[in-house]
Amino acid sequence: MNKIVYTSLIIGLLISTKVTAQYLPKNISEVDIAKAHQWVDKTYQSLSQDEKLGQLFIVALYTNKDENHINQVRNIVTNDKIGGLILMQDDAAREINLVNEFQQKSKVPLMIGMDAEWGLFQRIAAAHKFPWAMTLGAIQDKALIHQMAAKIAEDCKRMGINWDFAPVVDVNTNPNNPIIGNRSFGSEVNNVISSALAYTNGLQDNNILAAIKHFPGHGDTSTDSHLDLPVVSHQLDRLNNIELAPFKALMDKGVGGVMVAHLYVPSLESGKGIPASVSKNIITGLLKEKLGYKGLIITDALNMGAVANKYKPGELDAMAFKAGNDIMLFSQGVSEGKKLIQKAIDNGEIVQSRVEESVKKILLTKYFLGLSQYTPKSPENINYDLNNDSHKNLVQNLYSNALTLLKDDQKLLPLGKKQVYYVPLEEAPYQTFASQLGLETQVIIKKANEINTIPANSTVVVGFHKDNSTAYKPYKISAESKKVLADLVKNQKVILDVFGSAYALKDIDISKVSTVLVSYENNNDSMTAAANALNGKTKIWGRLPVLINDQLRAGMGIDFNSISNTNTNVSSTTFTTSKQQ
């Protein structure tokens, strides 16, 4: 068969089956594509209507809940023939054993997803934590983000996970955003796009599906959609230029999934109070028809207060499917939802071809992810496999590359062997930073109430150590810490290191602070990276990913490159506001 005829056959097959997929594995051949569609058609024809509808649902599996919960999930997998699971907290070995069991019970292998924006640690405490997106947004070498996502993909495969519900591509223009914040790559569209593309490719180049979220853009909200329905009130021009821009850019790059948010956007939905996640205007009209997206469309979790407080389980699922979603995530009423969808089909409100479109799209994606047959995973040594030196070394390199130097007026860096005083402030642990700093420098720790004992004109490192136990902790600095900093700069040469969100500097007077470094997070890896940089062992070249205030704008930062114990401060790009590439 010549190539022209064969290509025509493939195109004809794609048209005849009415199924498309945005995601394709790397180096896939036309023969493999043909086999995929043959498997999809054969599998689809083998399913009853009830089994087809089951493919539209993903439910949550927690291993930190009781046996009653496990049995409920077991019954849903067995009786409702669902399409997949989202793994929640918290035991990796138990999750693997349960997934193995449930896969054996499933006629069509389940698609297993997880929120793993900062790696599997987001759900599994024994795993190693990767940096939050805001930290990654400060990194100039985006290849490092690809490298990180590839490692997350490796961890996902080890667990039998096929879909990472990441990355967040919301442009965080609101410092008071209670739910996005650290989860966003920043406030600049171009930086969000380049960072998210590296993350997405890192996953999908390694055959783990990505899902950009939260369409049509959750970055400028002041309400947590887990609790209530946020409103995005911008006009269409602004939405196109900011909120929608990353989605439009990335959808053309083969991203396999888009997650739709529980947001009310009046400029896109005329029906008062209708969330985007159940809006036909937004999902079908905008995402599918106007923007031409062909990949899997999945709701944000249907147990979130923004929608769960307003609609009944099942009813919400049917509304979401009618609107154009392919998959209802975190369904609270699978059997009810299936009945209501079927009722809508019987009444002519939904055409059967919509079921065929979504189910075949799901099946095709499953095939491309290697799920035409399931190979059980082993729970043996899983905690070590998810948390070892390969993770630690990569993560410390990421934090090192994110470090952002905003000032070094008195050329205090590198610290070298000189004696410094260290004043830890705020509520989180600081011991790792102090000990790592002390490997090269003579460090004397002083508490806030002891600063009057520090000799005048000393070099003093002040650490703002914010609680980073979750991505949603407040970033604001206390009045007490601000006063300590203000008192110190009167007589001392101060280096301020922010172990927390860059937004912590929003209302901090740094005009008289000699040196300001943003380390973004407070954990052992970030503190080690910061200590190494202050001691001159690594280069500093991160850039602010967010607009903080009129003085501290996105893109600002100083390049500092030194060999330990020498003072080579390169600052030709000081406070540059050019967009990151």
Side-chain angles (χ1 to χ4, degrees), residues 442-454:
Q442 301 175 53
V443 178
I444 301 173
I445 300 175
K446 292 289 185 179
K447 295 181 180 179
N449 61 0
E450 298 174 325
I451 63 170
N452 290 334
T453 66
I454 301 175

mmCIF file with all atom_site columns, all heavy atoms in Angstrom, residues 442-454:
data_model
loop_
_atom_site.group_PDB
_atom_site.id
_atom_site.type_symbol
_atom_site.label_atom_id
_atom_site.label_alt_id
_atom_site.label_comp_id
_atom_site.label_asym_id
_atom_site.label_entity_id
_atom_site.label_seq_id
_atom_site.pdbx_PDB_ins_code
_atom_site.Cartn_x
_atom_site.Cartn_y
_atom_site.Cartn_z
_atom_site.occupancy
_atom_site.B_iso_or_equiv
_atom_site.pdbx_formal_charge
_atom_site.auth_seq_id
_atom_site.auth_comp_id
_atom_site.auth_asym_id
_atom_site.auth_atom_id
_atom_site.pdbx_PDB_model_num
ATOM 1   N N   . GLN A 1 442 ? 30.814 31.922 59.946 1.00 0.00 ? 442 GLN A N   1
ATOM 2   C CA  . GLN A 1 442 ? 30.662 31.918 61.401 1.00 0.00 ? 442 GLN A CA  1
ATOM 3   C C   . GLN A 1 442 ? 29.324 32.573 61.744 1.00 0.00 ? 442 GLN A C   1
ATOM 4   O O   . GLN A 1 442 ? 29.165 33.781 61.586 1.00 0.00 ? 442 GLN A O   1
ATOM 5   C CB  . GLN A 1 442 ? 31.808 32.691 62.054 1.00 0.00 ? 442 GLN A CB  1
ATOM 6   C CG  . GLN A 1 442 ? 33.190 32.142 61.743 1.00 0.00 ? 442 GLN A CG  1
ATOM 7   C CD  . GLN A 1 442 ? 34.284 33.009 62.307 1.00 0.00 ? 442 GLN A CD  1
ATOM 8   O OE1 . GLN A 1 442 ? 34.297 33.322 63.505 1.00 0.00 ? 442 GLN A OE1 1
ATOM 9   N NE2 . GLN A 1 442 ? 35.217 33.409 61.459 1.00 0.00 ? 442 GLN A NE2 1
ATOM 10  N N   . VAL A 1 443 ? 28.375 31.774 62.206 1.00 0.00 ? 443 VAL A N   1
ATOM 11  C CA  . VAL A 1 443 ? 27.010 32.247 62.435 1.00 0.00 ? 443 VAL A CA  1
ATOM 12  C C   . VAL A 1 443 ? 26.711 32.312 63.928 1.00 0.00 ? 443 VAL A C   1
ATOM 13  O O   . VAL A 1 443 ? 26.906 31.329 64.651 1.00 0.00 ? 443 VAL A O   1
ATOM 14  C CB  . VAL A 1 443 ? 25.982 31.324 61.736 1.00 0.00 ? 443 VAL A CB  1
ATOM 15  C CG1 . VAL A 1 443 ? 24.552 31.796 62.027 1.00 0.00 ? 443 VAL A CG1 1
ATOM 16  C CG2 . VAL A 1 443 ? 26.230 31.278 60.240 1.00 0.00 ? 443 VAL A CG2 1
ATOM 17  N N   . ILE A 1 444 ? 26.224 33.463 64.358 1.00 0.00 ? 444 ILE A N   1
ATOM 18  C CA  . ILE A 1 444 ? 25.762 33.636 65.737 1.00 0.00 ? 444 ILE A CA  1
ATOM 19  C C   . ILE A 1 444 ? 24.264 33.938 65.680 1.00 0.00 ? 444 ILE A C   1
ATOM 20  O O   . ILE A 1 444 ? 23.848 34.952 65.107 1.00 0.00 ? 444 ILE A O   1
ATOM 21  C CB  . ILE A 1 444 ? 26.500 34.782 66.446 1.00 0.00 ? 444 ILE A CB  1
ATOM 22  C CG1 . ILE A 1 444 ? 28.013 34.502 66.463 1.00 0.00 ? 444 ILE A CG1 1
ATOM 23  C CG2 . ILE A 1 444 ? 25.974 34.966 67.868 1.00 0.00 ? 444 ILE A CG2 1
ATOM 24  C CD1 . ILE A 1 444 ? 28.835 35.658 66.986 1.00 0.00 ? 444 ILE A CD1 1
ATOM 25  N N   . ILE A 1 445 ? 23.462 33.037 66.243 1.00 0.00 ? 445 ILE A N   1
ATOM 26  C CA  . ILE A 1 445 ? 22.015 33.200 66.189 1.00 0.00 ? 445 ILE A CA  1
ATOM 27  C C   . ILE A 1 445 ? 21.546 34.114 67.314 1.00 0.00 ? 445 ILE A C   1
ATOM 28  O O   . ILE A 1 445 ? 21.926 33.948 68.473 1.00 0.00 ? 445 ILE A O   1
ATOM 29  C CB  . ILE A 1 445 ? 21.305 31.841 66.289 1.00 0.00 ? 445 ILE A CB  1
ATOM 30  C CG1 . ILE A 1 445 ? 21.732 30.935 65.127 1.00 0.00 ? 445 ILE A CG1 1
ATOM 31  C CG2 . ILE A 1 445 ? 19.785 32.012 66.288 1.00 0.00 ? 445 ILE A CG2 1
ATOM 32  C CD1 . ILE A 1 445 ? 21.176 29.529 65.207 1.00 0.00 ? 445 ILE A CD1 1
ATOM 33  N N   . LYS A 1 446 ? 20.723 35.073 66.965 1.00 0.00 ? 446 LYS A N   1
ATOM 34  C CA  . LYS A 1 446 ? 20.122 35.970 67.936 1.00 0.00 ? 446 LYS A CA  1
ATOM 35  C C   . LYS A 1 446 ? 18.607 35.972 67.769 1.00 0.00 ? 446 LYS A C   1
ATOM 36  O O   . LYS A 1 446 ? 18.093 36.064 66.644 1.00 0.00 ? 446 LYS A O   1
ATOM 37  C CB  . LYS A 1 446 ? 20.642 37.400 67.735 1.00 0.00 ? 446 LYS A CB  1
ATOM 38  C CG  . LYS A 1 446 ? 22.121 37.592 68.058 1.00 0.00 ? 446 LYS A CG  1
ATOM 39  C CD  . LYS A 1 446 ? 22.375 37.513 69.555 1.00 0.00 ? 446 LYS A CD  1
ATOM 40  C CE  . LYS A 1 446 ? 23.830 37.823 69.887 1.00 0.00 ? 446 LYS A CE  1
ATOM 41  N NZ  . LYS A 1 446 ? 24.102 37.773 71.347 1.00 0.00 ? 446 LYS A NZ  1
ATOM 42  N N   . LYS A 1 447 ? 17.907 35.880 68.878 1.00 0.00 ? 447 LYS A N   1
ATOM 43  C CA  . LYS A 1 447 ? 16.458 35.981 68.844 1.00 0.00 ? 447 LYS A CA  1
ATOM 44  C C   . LYS A 1 447 ? 16.049 37.445 68.685 1.00 0.00 ? 447 LYS A C   1
ATOM 45  O O   . LYS A 1 447 ? 16.857 38.354 68.893 1.00 0.00 ? 447 LYS A O   1
ATOM 46  C CB  . LYS A 1 447 ? 15.850 35.382 70.109 1.00 0.00 ? 447 LYS A CB  1
ATOM 47  C CG  . LYS A 1 447 ? 16.099 33.880 70.240 1.00 0.00 ? 447 LYS A CG  1
ATOM 48  C CD  . LYS A 1 447 ? 15.461 33.330 71.508 1.00 0.00 ? 447 LYS A CD  1
ATOM 49  C CE  . LYS A 1 447 ? 15.699 31.827 71.636 1.00 0.00 ? 447 LYS A CE  1
ATOM 50  N NZ  . LYS A 1 447 ? 15.123 31.266 72.873 1.00 0.00 ? 447 LYS A NZ  1
ATOM 51  N N   . ALA A 1 448 ? 14.797 37.647 68.365 1.00 0.00 ? 448 ALA A N   1
ATOM 52  C CA  . ALA A 1 448 ? 14.322 39.010 68.109 1.00 0.00 ? 448 ALA A CA  1
ATOM 53  C C   . ALA A 1 448 ? 14.534 39.926 69.305 1.00 0.00 ? 448 ALA A C   1
ATOM 54  O O   . ALA A 1 448 ? 14.828 41.118 69.142 1.00 0.00 ? 448 ALA A O   1
ATOM 55  C CB  . ALA A 1 448 ? 12.841 38.974 67.721 1.00 0.00 ? 448 ALA A CB  1
ATOM 56  N N   . ASN A 1 449 ? 14.388 39.381 70.507 1.00 0.00 ? 449 ASN A N   1
ATOM 57  C CA  . ASN A 1 449 ? 14.542 40.224 71.694 1.00 0.00 ? 449 ASN A CA  1
ATOM 58  C C   . ASN A 1 449 ? 16.003 40.400 72.115 1.00 0.00 ? 449 ASN A C   1
ATOM 59  O O   . ASN A 1 449 ? 16.286 40.986 73.157 1.00 0.00 ? 449 ASN A O   1
ATOM 60  C CB  . ASN A 1 449 ? 13.736 39.648 72.862 1.00 0.00 ? 449 ASN A CB  1
ATOM 61  C CG  . ASN A 1 449 ? 14.174 38.245 73.266 1.00 0.00 ? 449 ASN A CG  1
ATOM 62  O OD1 . ASN A 1 449 ? 15.093 37.680 72.664 1.00 0.00 ? 449 ASN A OD1 1
ATOM 63  N ND2 . ASN A 1 449 ? 13.499 37.677 74.261 1.00 0.00 ? 449 ASN A ND2 1
ATOM 64  N N   . GLU A 1 450 ? 16.918 39.864 71.291 1.00 0.00 ? 450 GLU A N   1
ATOM 65  C CA  . GLU A 1 450 ? 18.338 39.982 71.606 1.00 0.00 ? 450 GLU A CA  1
ATOM 66  C C   . GLU A 1 450 ? 19.107 40.865 70.617 1.00 0.00 ? 450 GLU A C   1
ATOM 67  O O   . GLU A 1 450 ? 20.331 40.945 70.671 1.00 0.00 ? 450 GLU A O   1
ATOM 68  C CB  . GLU A 1 450 ? 18.993 38.590 71.616 1.00 0.00 ? 450 GLU A CB  1
ATOM 69  C CG  . GLU A 1 450 ? 18.427 37.646 72.656 1.00 0.00 ? 450 GLU A CG  1
ATOM 70  C CD  . GLU A 1 450 ? 18.993 36.242 72.537 1.00 0.00 ? 450 GLU A CD  1
ATOM 71  O OE1 . GLU A 1 450 ? 19.253 35.792 71.402 1.00 0.00 ? 450 GLU A OE1 1
ATOM 72  O OE2 . GLU A 1 450 ? 19.185 35.601 73.592 1.00 0.00 ? 450 GLU A OE2 1
ATOM 73  N N   . ILE A 1 451 ? 18.415 41.528 69.722 1.00 0.00 ? 451 ILE A N   1
ATOM 74  C CA  . ILE A 1 451 ? 19.130 42.261 68.669 1.00 0.00 ? 451 ILE A CA  1
ATOM 75  C C   . ILE A 1 451 ? 19.941 43.432 69.212 1.00 0.00 ? 451 ILE A C   1
ATOM 76  O O   . ILE A 1 451 ? 20.908 43.865 68.577 1.00 0.00 ? 451 ILE A O   1
ATOM 77  C CB  . ILE A 1 451 ? 18.163 42.745 67.569 1.00 0.00 ? 451 ILE A CB  1
ATOM 78  C CG1 . ILE A 1 451 ? 17.145 43.737 68.122 1.00 0.00 ? 451 ILE A CG1 1
ATOM 79  C CG2 . ILE A 1 451 ? 17.481 41.556 66.894 1.00 0.00 ? 451 ILE A CG2 1
ATOM 80  C CD1 . ILE A 1 451 ? 16.327 44.409 67.037 1.00 0.00 ? 451 ILE A CD1 1
ATOM 81  N N   . ASN A 1 452 ? 19.584 43.937 70.400 1.00 0.00 ? 452 ASN A N   1
ATOM 82  C CA  . ASN A 1 452 ? 20.348 45.054 70.982 1.00 0.00 ? 452 ASN A CA  1
ATOM 83  C C   . ASN A 1 452 ? 21.747 44.626 71.415 1.00 0.00 ? 452 ASN A C   1
ATOM 84  O O   . ASN A 1 452 ? 22.608 45.488 71.671 1.00 0.00 ? 452 ASN A O   1
ATOM 85  C CB  . ASN A 1 452 ? 19.604 45.648 72.172 1.00 0.00 ? 452 ASN A CB  1
ATOM 86  C CG  . ASN A 1 452 ? 18.344 46.388 71.748 1.00 0.00 ? 452 ASN A CG  1
ATOM 87  O OD1 . ASN A 1 452 ? 18.253 46.865 70.618 1.00 0.00 ? 452 ASN A OD1 1
ATOM 88  N ND2 . ASN A 1 452 ? 17.367 46.468 72.641 1.00 0.00 ? 452 ASN A ND2 1
ATOM 89  N N   . THR A 1 453 ? 21.992 43.311 71.477 1.00 0.00 ? 453 THR A N   1
ATOM 90  C CA  . THR A 1 453 ? 23.320 42.824 71.877 1.00 0.00 ? 453 THR A CA  1
ATOM 91  C C   . THR A 1 453 ? 24.256 42.658 70.680 1.00 0.00 ? 453 THR A C   1
ATOM 92  O O   . THR A 1 453 ? 25.416 42.284 70.854 1.00 0.00 ? 453 THR A O   1
ATOM 93  C CB  . THR A 1 453 ? 23.195 41.478 72.617 1.00 0.00 ? 453 THR A CB  1
ATOM 94  O OG1 . THR A 1 453 ? 22.708 40.480 71.706 1.00 0.00 ? 453 THR A OG1 1
ATOM 95  C CG2 . THR A 1 453 ? 22.247 41.594 73.800 1.00 0.00 ? 453 THR A CG2 1
ATOM 96  N N   . ILE A 1 454 ? 23.745 42.909 69.469 1.00 0.00 ? 454 ILE A N   1
ATOM 97  C CA  . ILE A 1 454 ? 24.585 42.783 68.275 1.00 0.00 ? 454 ILE A CA  1
ATOM 98  C C   . ILE A 1 454 ? 25.413 44.056 68.109 1.00 0.00 ? 454 ILE A C   1
ATOM 99  O O   . ILE A 1 454 ? 24.851 45.158 68.102 1.00 0.00 ? 454 ILE A O   1
ATOM 100 C CB  . ILE A 1 454 ? 23.717 42.550 67.023 1.00 0.00 ? 454 ILE A CB  1
ATOM 101 C CG1 . ILE A 1 454 ? 22.861 41.282 67.176 1.00 0.00 ? 454 ILE A CG1 1
ATOM 102 C CG2 . ILE A 1 454 ? 24.596 42.443 65.770 1.00 0.00 ? 454 ILE A CG2 1
ATOM 103 C CD1 . ILE A 1 454 ? 21.879 41.050 66.041 1.00 0.00 ? 454 ILE A CD1 1
#
